């Protein structure tokens, strides 16, 4: 099979590799779509923290936002999975530790992460081997594009749920990238009045095109009571700004990750009686995200600007935009596409 492999910071190859074999408890999936994520771009540049913490190393195959069809099953796996359209959880806990046994496998200290951590190869390939226990079946109304948007959607859904909006509450999302826009969509579906803050005219214009009328730059955010503020950016100063902007008694949610340490003043947190929540992983939100896509509560397809083949992944990871790409923030990959 063909696969995209990062060999060092800024270096990559599209290789012909042996096709995976389903081990005990595993399946092999024919990959149909893969989303390119900011995490993948950090692996490309070498900035990803896991590389420096010993959790990841080159050569590696990224790709954790994926959908496809089960082509083979290993020993002990229900043969009913054969031929089913699926996506998969990125976080693969050990299954035996205290956190896993309490349903928190996404924060297991010994976890593997597909395409990210623990030498678990990712989905930027024609085929992928994953544990059957990580699979989530996709209904007919969730096509391959939507299926590959379930993983980022699960993260965003959890952030929107952490904001805990009541109908009519005002929520502000910092950062109109893929996650920020998905958070905004889920907040809107929950009945909140959604505001977005961004840095570029193009990103704000795209958000307006999705039906979000309240979009602002950092300098133009109106002085309004925000019942919840979600930081979905990678700016180190915005966690503190989120705390400044939220209403006393409100909630701040941190899902974005900056490239350097960011700080908040816990005196402000306490004196405003604010609830602060951090969100890592889509795992607890995957099934609800699939349902939201299936029934049309949220439609993230406009976020996908282009779909490329494996041979075009390198320039995308370097920050390039494919020729003819639309205005959305997400690039998808179809590994079956011919060079």
């Amino acid at each position: 099979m063909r696969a995209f492999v990062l060999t060092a910071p800024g270096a990559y190859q599209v290789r012909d590799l042996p096709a995976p074999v389903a081990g005990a408890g595993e399946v092999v999936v024919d990959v149909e779509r893969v989303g390119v994520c900011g995490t993948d771009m950090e692996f490309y540049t070498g900035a990803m923290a896991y590389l420096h913490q010993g959790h990841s190393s080159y050569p590696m195959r990224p790709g954790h936002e994926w959908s496809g069809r089960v082509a083979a099953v290993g020993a002990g796996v229900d043969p009913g999975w054969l031929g089913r359209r699926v996506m998969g959880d990125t976080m693969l806990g050990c299954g035996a530790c205290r956190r896993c046994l309490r349903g928190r496998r996404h924060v297991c200290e010994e976890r593997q992460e597909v395409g990210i951590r623990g030498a678990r190869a990712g989905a930027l390939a024609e085929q992928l081997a994953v544990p059957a226990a990580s699979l989530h079946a996709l209904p007919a109304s969730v096509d391959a594009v939507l299926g590959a948007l379930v993983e980022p959607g699960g993260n965003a859904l959890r952030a929107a749920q952490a904001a805990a909006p009541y109908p009519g509450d005002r929520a502000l999302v910092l950062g109109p990238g893929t996650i920020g826009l998905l958070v905004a969509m889920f907040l809107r579906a929950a009945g909140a009045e959604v505001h977005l803050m961004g840095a570029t005219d193009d990103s704000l214009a795209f958000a307006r095109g999705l039906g979000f009328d309240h979009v602002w730059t950092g300098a133009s955010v109106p002085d309004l009571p925000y019942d919840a503020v979600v930081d979905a950016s990678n700016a180190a100063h915005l966690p503190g700004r989120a705390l400044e902007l939220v209403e006393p008694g409100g909630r701040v949610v941190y899902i974005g990750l900056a490239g350097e340490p960011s700080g908040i003043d816990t005196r402000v947190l306490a004196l405003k009686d604010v609830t602060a929540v951090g969100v890592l992983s889509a795992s607890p939100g995957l099934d609800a995200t699939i349902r939201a896509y299936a029934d049309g509560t949220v439609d993230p397809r406009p976020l996908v600007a282009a779909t490329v083949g494996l041979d075009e992944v390198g320039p995308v990871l370097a920050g390039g935009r494919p020729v003819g790409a639309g205005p959305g923030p997400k690039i998808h990959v179809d590994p079956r596409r011919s060079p």
Side-chain angles (χ1 to χ4, degrees), residues 213-270:
D213 298 326
H214 308 294
V215 297
W216 320 100
T217 63
S220 67
V221 174
D223 184 15
L224 294 170
Y226 299 102
D227 302 291
V229 179
V230 180
D231 176 22
S233 77
N234 60 2
H237 71 284
L238 286 183
R241 184 83 191 277
L243 186 56
E244 293 171 1
L245 289 166
V246 73
E247 269 284 276
R251 300 174 74 87
V252 290
V253 181
Y254 297 114
I255 189 170
L257 293 174
E260 59 187 83
S262 55
I264 61 172
D265 188 338
T266 57
R267 296 171 299 180
V268 177
L269 185 76

